[in-house]
Amino acid sequence: MIALMTETTDWADRTEQTVLDAAIARAPALGWNARLVREACEACGLSQGDEELLLPNAARDLAALLSRRHDARALAALGETDAKSLKIRERIARAVSERMEAGAADLEATRRCAAFLALPVNADLGLKLAWESADHLWRWAGDEATDWNHYSKRTILSGILIPALTMRWFDRREAAEAFVARRIENVMAFEKWKAGKDFEAPFRKVTDVLSRVRYGRAV
């Protein structure tokens, strides 16, 4: 049973990547849509039943596969750099740059996919994939936060990644990297301002008041 499950998983993984290759080649002419999925699957010899099994969410699943391939490509490139040898702002700048270039290798297909993810109906998927990318990049950068900083860092980086990638796909690389540099500088300035400030104090005061009301004393 385990062997059968492994074989099925291996088939799915290999076939997904083969279909993605076919889709990347056809996307400049077809766009990113159900027709692209069907023709890419047909080119790989898959029936409609196989297509529905492999990509139940059609073009959305294909978009996720492309984003994750670009994540993997960026991480492979980043693996050649010792993150600890760089300052934190340099790590993030390098990470975002490699992620941008990973997608640029499939530029025309990536543009079609980006336009697909920009549709309101696909905004949830676009945000999810940006979060995944941000998580991968922060982990490469050495982030080990497990408190609320874990989420705030990824939220901030997602907010940088989405416009940066869009600029890279549809504008010049120089413009995208200049944007990233400015945003990182803004974030670092905010972090410097925030350092040493006790933002939890108001919440502690509220907790203290509520505990006095309920228990007649502070907890």
Side-chain angles (χ1 to χ4, degrees):
M1 182 65 177
I2 295 177
L4 178 60
M5 291 177 63
T6 300
E7 182 178 345
T8 301
T9 300
D10 289 345
W11 172 85
D13 290 343
R14 290 194 306 270
T15 307
E16 282 176 346
Q17 296 306 311
T18 302
V19 170
L20 180 58
D21 288 337
I24 289 171
R26 291 163 174 76
L30 299 178
W32 206 272
N33 47 45
R35 181 185 173 190
L36 174 68
V37 176
R38 181 82 288 268
E39 293 201 12
C41 286
E42 285 180 349
C44 297
L46 300 180
S47 67
Q48 188 165 355
D50 291 332
E51 174 189 328
E52 293 173 354
L53 179 64
L54 191 69
L55 302 169
N57 297 302
R60 283 171 62 92
D61 285 342
L62 200 61
L65 286 174
L66 183 64
S67 179
R68 289 162 186 160
R69 174 181 285 189
H70 293 163
D71 285 342
R73 185 180 292 163
L75 290 174
L78 289 168
E80 300 177 3
T81 300
D82 179 9
K84 294 181 180 179
S85 68
L86 304 174
K87 296 179 179 178
I88 188 63
R89 69 177 66 195
E90 294 172 336
R91 297 179 201 179
I92 298 305
R94 177 72 60 83
V96 174
S97 179
E98 291 294 355
R99 181 59 180 80
M100 290 193 297
E101 295 315 299
D106 306 309
L107 186 56
E108 292 305 319
T110 302
R111 285 174 172 169
R112 303 312 189 273
C113 185
F116 172 80
L117 290 174
L119 296 173
V121 70
N122 298 318
D124 62 324
L125 178 60
L127 291 173
K128 176 185 177 181
L129 294 174
W131 178 278
E132 284 186 9
S133 297
D135 183 49
H136 287 309
L137 299 184
W138 265 118
R139 290 180 185 277
W140 170 80
D143 178 60
E144 297 179 349
T146 56
D147 58 5
W148 69 274
N149 282 301
H150 172 92
Y151 301 97
S152 65
K153 287 179 178 179
R154 283 147 183 80
T155 299
I156 291 170
L157 186 53
S158 295
I160 295 175
L161 270 174
I162 292 172
L165 293 176
T166 302
M167 291 179 71
R168 178 62 183 90
W169 309 154
F170 298 99
D171 203 342
R172 305 184 317 278
R173 175 178 180 178
E174 295 78 8
E177 293 195 339
F179 166 80
V180 172
R182 290 193 302 270
R183 287 300 308 275
I184 291 175
E185 197 62 38
N186 291 342
V187 171
M188 296 301 292
F190 172 72
E191 291 296 324
K192 184 178 179 180
W193 170 83
K194 188 177 70 173
K197 291 181 170 59
D198 188 359
F199 289 98
E200 295 184 4
F203 299 101
R204 287 200 301 272
K205 289 181 179 179
V206 171
T207 301
D208 181 60
V209 170
L210 292 176
S211 67
R212 288 178 184 276
V213 170
R214 183 172 183 181
Y215 302 107
R217 61 181 176 81
V219 294

